[in-house]
Amino acid sequence: MKFLAFFIMLLAFVACTDSDKYLHSSEPESIIVSAYMTPSFDSIYERGRADTITPGDSLIFLTSIYPSKSVWSQKYYWTLDGNIFANEYNFKSTVYTPGTHEIVFVFVDYFGDTLSDTLSLTVASPPALDVQNFIPADGMQQVDPYQILHFAWNADDPDSIWNLNYHFMLYENGCDDSCKPLADTIVDRSTFSYVNGFKPLHEYSWYVRAYNEIGQESIEEIAGRFFVRGFNNESAVLGFVKTNTPVDVDSFYITLLDSGLNVVKKIEQRENTFNIGALAKGSYCLHIGLPHFPDFKTDTIRFTLLENQVLSLDTVVLNDRGVPRIASITGRDTLAPEDTLKFLVTDGGSGIDLSRTIARLDGISVNQMTLSNDTLSVPVSIPEASWTKKILVISTHDLSGNEFHKSFYVLPKTTLVEVFVD
């Protein structure tokens, strides 16, 4: 009877208690709420707690609930700067208002306890640069080599809330890779003054990029160049030389002639850039070539120099216009029958490749040719009973596409009389 009475009292106690709440009383201590954002579900993008976007860029907002999202809750929602942003666990949205925003995921559990996690989102537009109007103007001539040169440009923060900085760079054109920039610095104003002077009759380039205080870079880049005057109204011509097909060029030569075709200067140098000065005003013509690659040629370049002018030519391209040459080792076109015939295949331009060389004996392709340096070895098979000449045609293309072919006559191993006698 005592046990029965205890059992009835226990049932009454449970009936008077919120049993669900009792069974979940440990739940608040075990729930963990985390919030993230990412531009995409692609694996290359990480989920983060802080990010920077431009106005209108989409972001995916995600939540993680431990032990799971199935735990009992009263409500959950997101806020943006204290205002309701969404009522979902995960969603995709954007923010247009520039500035730094606080985004909070709020989770109210079964017992009314509030858990939350906070993200930081910065919305900003990259700075803009005016690439049309700047000082000195692009291509400016007659810069004084000994005066301070002032640079100025226009920039804008579309959001009107960020501070801007500028990366300014100044280079001497035509200088080799070992040369350092004359200036490479960050300034907080849209001006820069260079006080160290310049080389007379030289060309210089300068560049500017803008950055806002959160690290966004301008899409545009200001790029300008200017030319420094010489002395006594002297002028100069400069340019850059390249070939239409890559070759190992160790030097090139330049011949400068005046209007009367008298040689003014003749130089050979290793660099691809050239600067010829000091020159008097007048009309000139220029010939450029490669001493070890005579097939690379250019048309005569004609130009006129004004007083105090540094003329920058367009890139001078030397075109491989010469065809390869094919000749037998003996120098003859009629050849004695041999198991292997040898030929000299030479080119004064981009070079010869065996894969571009074909030989046909009486119209039938010859296989297993070899090319060693300039020597082409062609295996031929002449039947013992053949009494007529065979025509061997060799054709080749250099690496610039210039084609050459030549025919040779291969004598028979026997005569018609010997064939009949046999």
Side-chain angles (χ1 to χ4, degrees):
M1 290 295 292
K2 290 183 179 180
F3 175 78
L4 180 59
F6 174 78
F7 182 74
I8 292 173
M9 290 175 62
L10 178 61
L11 287 177
F13 175 78
V14 172
C16 295
T17 304
D18 188 340
S19 58
D20 288 339
K21 187 173 182 180
Y22 175 78
L23 294 174
H24 293 84
S25 62
S26 63
E27 205 169 88
E29 288 74 27
S30 63
I31 298 176
I32 299 175
V33 172
S34 299
Y36 307 95
M37 51 188 169
T38 180
S40 170
F41 284 121
D42 193 304
S43 59
I44 65 173
Y45 294 99
E46 295 183 357
R47 298 179 179 185
R49 301 174 57 78
D51 205 348
T52 299
I53 63 171
T54 59
D57 287 349
S58 295
L59 278 177
I60 300 170
F61 297 89
L62 307 164
T63 56
S64 172
I65 310 294
Y66 179 85
S68 75
K69 291 179 181 176
S70 62
V71 297
W72 291 357
S73 65
Q74 293 188 19
K75 58 182 177 180
Y76 50 84
Y77 56 91
W78 295 78
T79 64
L80 171 63
D81 297 332
N83 300 312
I84 296 296
F85 190 31
N87 295 98
E88 304 171 75
Y89 279 120
N90 305 324
F91 69 102
K92 185 176 183 179
S93 188
T94 188
V95 179
Y96 292 92
T97 305
T100 300
H101 304 277
E102 182 180 81
I103 298 177
V104 181
F105 175 70
V106 180
F107 182 89
V108 182
D109 68 9
Y110 179 85
F111 300 95
D113 294 331
T114 299
L115 297 88
S116 65
D117 198 18
T118 302
L119 306 177
S120 177
L121 177 64
T122 300
V123 181
S125 303
L129 283 172
D130 182 353
V131 297
Q132 300 296 327
N133 303 292
F134 48 82
I135 299 173
D138 187 30
M140 181 177 176
Q141 292 275 349
Q142 300 188 30
V143 170
D144 192 311
Y146 302 118
Q147 295 294 320
I148 297 174
L149 185 60
H150 300 286
F151 299 84
W153 55 91
N154 299 317
D156 175 58
D157 169 31
D159 301 334
S160 301
I161 59 175
W162 311 108
N163 294 320
L164 300 184
N165 289 308
Y166 307 96
H167 185 187
F168 179 90
M169 293 176 291
L170 175 63
Y171 295 90
E172 175 190 337
N173 290 357
C175 194
D176 60 30
D177 295 337
S178 65
C179 292
K180 296 181 180 179
L182 300 180
D184 186 353
T185 186
I186 304 297
V187 295
D188 59 6
R189 295 182 297 178
S190 56
T191 60
F192 181 82
S193 297
Y194 186 72
V195 301
N196 294 328
F198 305 98
K199 293 180 181 178
L201 299 177
H202 276 67
E203 177 188 17
Y204 293 83
S205 291
W206 61 286
Y207 305 89
V208 173
R209 283 273 189 179
Y211 298 83
N212 60 24
E213 62 186 273
I214 56 175
Q216 288 178 314
E217 181 182 5
S218 59
I219 298 174
E220 309 87 1
E221 178 184 64
I222 291 176
R225 59 177 183 163
F226 58 90
F227 303 90
V228 182
R229 66 175 175 84
F231 304 105
N232 301 320
N233 299 322
E234 294 169 332
S235 301
V237 60
L238 51 87
F240 178 83
V241 181
K242 70 175 184 178
T243 58
N244 70 324
T245 303
V247 293
D248 293 328
V249 178
D250 55 3
S251 64
F252 64 93
Y253 64 84
I254 300 174
T255 303
L256 180 68
L257 301 96
D258 61 18
S259 57
L261 300 183
N262 301 303
V263 175
V264 178
K265 286 193 177 183
K266 192 169 185 179
I267 59 176
E268 182 175 347
Q269 62 183 57
R270 296 184 178 276
E271 294 81 10
N272 286 78
T273 58
F274 64 89
N275 187 323
I276 305 176
L279 302 173
K281 70 174 183 178
S283 298
Y284 297 88
C285 57
L286 200 64
H287 294 283
I288 302 178
L290 304 177
H292 304 299
F293 301 93
D295 287 353
F296 282 101
K297 300 175 181 178
T298 182
D299 295 330
T300 299
I301 303 168
R302 303 181 187 278
F303 59 91
T304 300
L305 290 177
L306 305 177
E307 288 185 353
N308 284 319
Q309 180 185 17
V310 179
L311 177 64
S312 179
L313 299 174
D314 292 334
T315 297
V316 179
V317 180
L318 300 181
N319 295 295
D320 181 1
R321 297 176 177 173
V323 298
R325 274 75 66 188
I326 303 173
S328 66
I329 295 293
T330 62
R332 298 178 179 179
D333 294 345
T334 300
L335 310 175
E338 302 283 351
D339 291 339
T340 299
L341 299 175
K342 295 183 180 296
F343 303 87
L344 290 176
V345 182
T346 58
D347 184 68
S350 54
I352 300 296
D353 188 89
L354 183 61
S355 64
R356 296 169 177 255
T357 304
I358 299 173
R360 290 186 173 89
L361 184 65
D362 277 356
I364 299 175
S365 296
V366 178
N367 299 319
Q368 298 181 335
M369 295 187 299
T370 60
L371 180 64
S372 177
N373 295 324
D374 294 335
T375 302
L376 177 69
S377 300
V378 181
V380 295
S381 177
I382 306 295
E384 295 291 340
S386 174
W387 52 272
T388 60
K389 293 180 180 179
K390 302 288 185 181
I391 299 178
L392 177 66
V393 180
I394 301 175
S395 62
T396 187
H397 295 75
D398 64 19
L399 298 181
S400 297
N402 299 307
E403 180 183 10
F404 182 78
H405 65 272
K406 187 171 178 59
S407 298
F408 300 90
Y409 293 96
V410 183
L411 295 173
K413 292 184 177 181
T414 185
T415 65
L416 178 62
V417 175
E418 290 173 327
V419 171
F420 279 123
V421 170
D422 291 341

